[in-house]
Amino acid sequence: MTNAPDSMPQRPNGEAPPAPRPASAHSHSFATRAVHIGSEPEFSRSGGVSAVLDLSTTYKQTKVGVHSGFEYSRSSNPTRLALERSLASLEGGDVRLSENLANEGIEEFSGAWEGGPAGVAFSSGSAATATVIQAIVGHGGHMISVGDVYGGTSRYQTKVAGPLQDAGCTYVDMSYSTKADGGKVRTEEQQDQVILDRIEQAIRPETKLIWAESPTNPMLSLVPIQLIAKLAKKHGVYLVIDNTFASPYLQQPLSLGADVVVASSTKYLGGHSDVVGGLVVTPNPALLTRIRFFQNAHGAVPSPFDSMLLLRSIKTLPLRVREHSRNGLAVARWLEEVGIPSGLVRDVRYPGLKRKQESPAQRRERHLAWDQLSADAKKWLSREGHELEAEGGFPDGGMVSFHINSPSPASQTDSQTAETFLESLEVFTLAESLGGVESLAELPLKMTHGGVDPARRTELGIDGELIRLSVGVEDVDDLLHDLQQAFKKAIPSSA
Ligand code: PLP
């Protein structure tokens, strides 16, 4: 019982702990792990089925330097460790429920079982991002980033890592559906080669990592993770995927070859817009040690309360993401089937959307969206009768972007029609962020991506007409009605 966390069962009469239960040969599915991992009754003295909320900042030592494995809460806290164990199981795969946890030490408790991936929790997604870039790129290194990246990540890459770490960052378009290849019809191999060439041209001797999001924010482009993982390995650089938009229920980048997953748990993992958090999961032991060292040195850790809120939210992650995805597809289809023919909108973006008129790049992207779905998500979709080639598409998350058609052509500064639309919404809330149960809508130009270099915004298509929706779990009829009434106010000729 050396290193046993304090919240594990203690045996006052000194009797030996129970023999470990044999590990079950059965691998548990995502939804089962989401409910149980991190909340195993073996962790609680009472046998409670929820993780223990341990608010202690410090822990008793029985002799100088002899402690339960916990010394000081910034360095290690039982509730946070339970969360880290859960995060590792969501992003990293199977953690056996039947392991006898009381016989394990802290490393196993936090998820590093049999050399598998382990999780590290942070006080925000931004803290997780900064830590990973510092730990991997260090001083004088170089990184390659997907161009269409979250504005806060690009702010850290260019305005913090650049001047303070002397780190270079090259932005590269890593998607199929862009203007960069001139929209020419190509074979799949040629389409792949275009992306590989763009990345390879940016690689330098000091390049340490490739950073990508898939789907990207706010254009919802898909990035071919497996393809880029092979290229990263060939050049000896790490591939880091920000999995915030997909959530681990829909996509598990480590299984596609990524070295590190980061995410803002403020979004789908938290799911109720009431906790800010971040995570890192990696199977690489050297990186893990470094990232844990930085976590303790920086001290940007989530509080026990936030850790507990996240653990509670994670139990319903699959349920919520399925409903977000059903509603997301319904909204995207309505925009495509009603909004485009009536001239209200153009360029509807949703990873699973199957358009009536689909370009080769759009088709490739939809196929990639399907291929990158986790095994559990595919199991759910096939159980509900969804398939890759279904008319209208398949549910794949709650994020939808589109351009509203203003009467006069929009520019970087002209966003009047979009703003009237956003301010007329009654069920959708005009707000930044995403992934909560309530539907949100925003103008990336002036909100989430206001700090991005204007030239890069123009290149990406982030203008005064681009609107991003985070579709929640309300009744879908109410959501569609809300969009319709807001369009009537923003574009009176459509009424
Ligand atoms: N990554 C992505 C894709 C995001 O959208 C965000 C926030 O919106 C972050 C990282 C940063 O996360 P946080 O706001 O929790 O710091």
Side-chain angles (χ1 to χ4, degrees), residues 220 327-350 353 355 392 398-405 421 425 428 467-471 479-480 482-484 486-487 491:
L220 304 178
N327 284 356
L329 176 64
V331 166
R333 285 190 66 173
W334 184 84
L335 289 166
E336 178 75 15
E337 291 164 15
V338 179
I340 290 186
S342 48
L344 300 172
V345 303
R346 63 182 190 283
D347 197 17
V348 179
R349 292 179 160 260
Y350 181 80
L353 181 66
R355 299 161 177 88
M399 299 304 296
V400 182
S401 298
F402 64 91
H403 281 86
I404 191 166
N405 283 326
F421 172 81
L425 289 165
F428 282 81
I467 287 170
R468 190 189 79 180
L469 304 178
S470 170
V471 181
L479 297 178
L480 296 179
D482 195 31
L483 294 174
Q484 282 167 13
F487 276 121
I491 310 175

Side-chain angles (χ1 to χ4, degrees), residues 162-176:
L164 297 185
Q165 292 173 234
D166 197 19
C169 181
T170 309
Y171 292 98
V172 172
D173 180 351
M174 301 183 190
S175 70
Y176 292 114

Side-chain angles (χ1 to χ4, degrees), residues 75 208 227 310 358 398 478:
S75 313
K208 299 281 195 277
L227 187 73
L310 279 169
E358 201 177 43
D478 291 333

Side-chain angles (χ1 to χ4, degrees), residues 124-126 129 150 153 213 217 242 244-245 264 266-267 276-277 434:
S124 68
S126 302
T129 297
Y150 167 60
T153 302
E213 294 171 15
N217 178 12
D242 181 336
T244 302
F245 269 43
S264 166
T266 318
K267 312 296 169 2
V276 174
L434 60 120

